Amino acid sequence: MKFKFNKIAISFILWGAVELCSIVYCALRRFREQKKRVMKELYIKRVIRLLPKCGDSIELLRELYYSFGNNKYLRKILIRAIKHQEKQFDNRTYVAAGFSYIEGKIGCAPINYIHRYLAENELKVGDYSLVDIKDLEAAAQQQILLWKTENDKFLTYMRKQRTKLLFEKSVLLFCNLLIYLKYSNDITLLIFVVVNTIGLVSFIILDYDCCVVDEKKREGNLARRNKGKKRALAKDKRLREMFQISGGTGLIVNITLFVIRLLEQEALF
């Protein structure tokens, strides 16, 4: 009996340690993503503020670089974007090159919208003289609101799924543990370990996906914009199905063993 409880204790300690590491990592990642979201909004507001002073994209990037005096992260991105743009020869590639580089680092729907708007205007007119600042600012605010709403809805959905999975995992853990403690054979031990390990892995992955990372590539259309979220939703569905199948199979096997043992006992009497 002591050896039995030692094995269970070791399993719980291992699972607990792994889950604790996952929680700490995801908490740090959420903190970083929140800082990046604030940084992206700051970048958008700074673009709108500096736009009247700039004639074209390269001037805008330079003004942005100087304006972020204490922000080493954004200054590093901007100086590389400037250098990348200055290396281009084709006019269309030149106008979009710096913006594309920035989108690869901190891209999101509002930033990409503003970049496309400015790039198209510069290619058509040659400078920003015809840009309606108030109209662009209103459009940017609308894009920010939509971006936040989409992310909040996605996070709410993923948190609900994580709570459901945690409940299912707890129920299966309790049921499989009771059956293992009653019979203590290799099959019930294997089912207990495998099912709960799958549940732990599924929970960790869902916890990871709750930390939403914005799209880092240029968003050309709605399907491209939601690609990352659709992948996460599909992964969530597959994980839950896998865990439900494994958990259901484990319970069926355990119940079958229980019935067989019960019938054997009745046969003896």
Side-chain angles (χ1 to χ4, degrees):
M1 182 65 71
K2 185 177 180 181
F3 179 67
K4 182 199 310 183
F5 282 109
N6 284 341
K7 288 191 291 186
I8 294 173
I10 291 171
S11 297
F12 275 107
I13 291 171
L14 179 61
W15 290 330
V18 172
E19 196 158 343
L20 179 62
C21 291
S22 171
I23 291 170
V24 171
Y25 171 76
C26 287
L28 292 174
R29 188 165 175 257
R30 287 190 191 100
F31 178 72
R32 288 198 302 267
E33 289 303 315
Q34 184 61 35
K35 285 184 67 177
K36 287 184 75 173
R37 287 183 67 174
V38 172
M39 196 178 299
K40 290 172 185 181
E41 288 191 55
L42 177 63
Y43 173 85
I44 293 167
K45 292 175 181 177
R46 196 67 57 85
V47 169
I48 300 297
R49 196 185 80 186
L50 295 175
L51 195 58
K53 303 177 183 178
C54 307
D56 55 24
S57 55
I58 198 68
E59 283 187 24
L60 177 61
L61 293 179
R62 286 171 180 162
E63 287 294 329
L64 285 167
Y65 172 78
Y66 292 121
S67 70
F68 289 111
N70 297 323
N71 194 320
K72 293 181 180 180
Y73 179 73
L74 281 178
R75 281 171 65 89
K76 185 177 179 180
I77 291 174
L78 287 163
I79 193 62
R80 290 183 177 178
I82 292 169
K83 291 178 179 178
H84 187 66
Q85 182 161 333
E86 289 176 338
K87 292 178 181 178
Q88 308 303 318
F89 296 99
D90 177 74
N91 188 45
R92 178 171 291 275
T93 307
Y94 170 84
V95 169
F99 290 154
S100 296
Y101 182 85
I102 294 169
E103 289 166 15
K105 298 297 181 180
I106 58 169
C108 65
I111 288 177
N112 299 350
Y113 172 83
I114 291 174
H115 285 174
R116 284 197 301 272
Y117 182 96
L118 295 176
E120 289 170 5
N121 185 278
E122 186 174 347
L123 286 169
K124 189 181 295 183
V125 181
D127 54 40
Y128 295 155
S129 58
L130 298 181
V131 172
D132 188 329
I133 305 297
K134 290 184 178 180
D135 182 64
L136 180 59
E137 184 175 8
Q141 290 300 325
Q142 186 178 12
Q143 288 290 321
I144 291 172
L145 181 61
L146 289 172
W147 171 55
K148 287 183 176 179
T149 302
E150 285 180 6
N151 276 347
D152 289 344
K153 285 182 179 178
F154 176 77
L155 283 173
T156 300
Y157 170 81
M158 295 301 289
R159 286 180 186 127
K160 286 181 179 177
Q161 298 309 306
R162 185 178 56 176
T163 302
K164 289 180 181 178
L165 181 62
L166 180 61
F167 174 75
E168 292 171 2
K169 184 167 76 76
S170 301
V171 170
L172 287 172
L173 173 67
F174 180 73
C175 293
N176 287 322
L177 179 60
L178 285 180
I179 295 173
Y180 169 66
L181 291 175
K182 184 173 180 60
Y183 294 110
S184 302
N185 56 39
D186 292 338
I187 295 177
T188 55
L189 176 61
L190 181 63
I191 291 171
F192 175 72
V193 172
V194 170
V195 170
N196 290 295
T197 300
I198 292 174
L200 176 63
V201 172
S202 303
F203 182 78
I204 289 172
I205 294 175
L206 275 184
D207 198 41
Y208 180 86
D209 282 336
C210 281
C211 316
V212 173
V213 180
D214 295 312
E215 293 297 316
K216 291 186 176 181
K217 293 185 179 179
R218 193 176 184 90
E219 298 167 1
N221 50 53
L222 184 62
R224 189 86 171 266
R225 183 185 308 170
N226 294 322
K227 190 175 181 180
K229 292 183 178 67
K230 288 181 179 179
R231 283 181 177 175
L233 293 174
K235 188 191 297 181
D236 162 51
K237 185 178 179 181
R238 289 195 300 270
L239 285 171
R240 286 177 58 80
E241 288 175 351
M242 179 180 68
F243 178 64
Q244 288 169 353
I245 290 171
S246 65
T249 303
L251 281 179
I252 290 171
V253 173
N254 275 330
I255 291 171
T256 303
L257 291 172
F258 175 78
V259 172
I260 291 172
R261 185 68 63 88
L262 186 64
L263 292 174
E264 288 176 349
Q265 290 175 355
E266 289 182 354
L268 292 175
F269 292 103

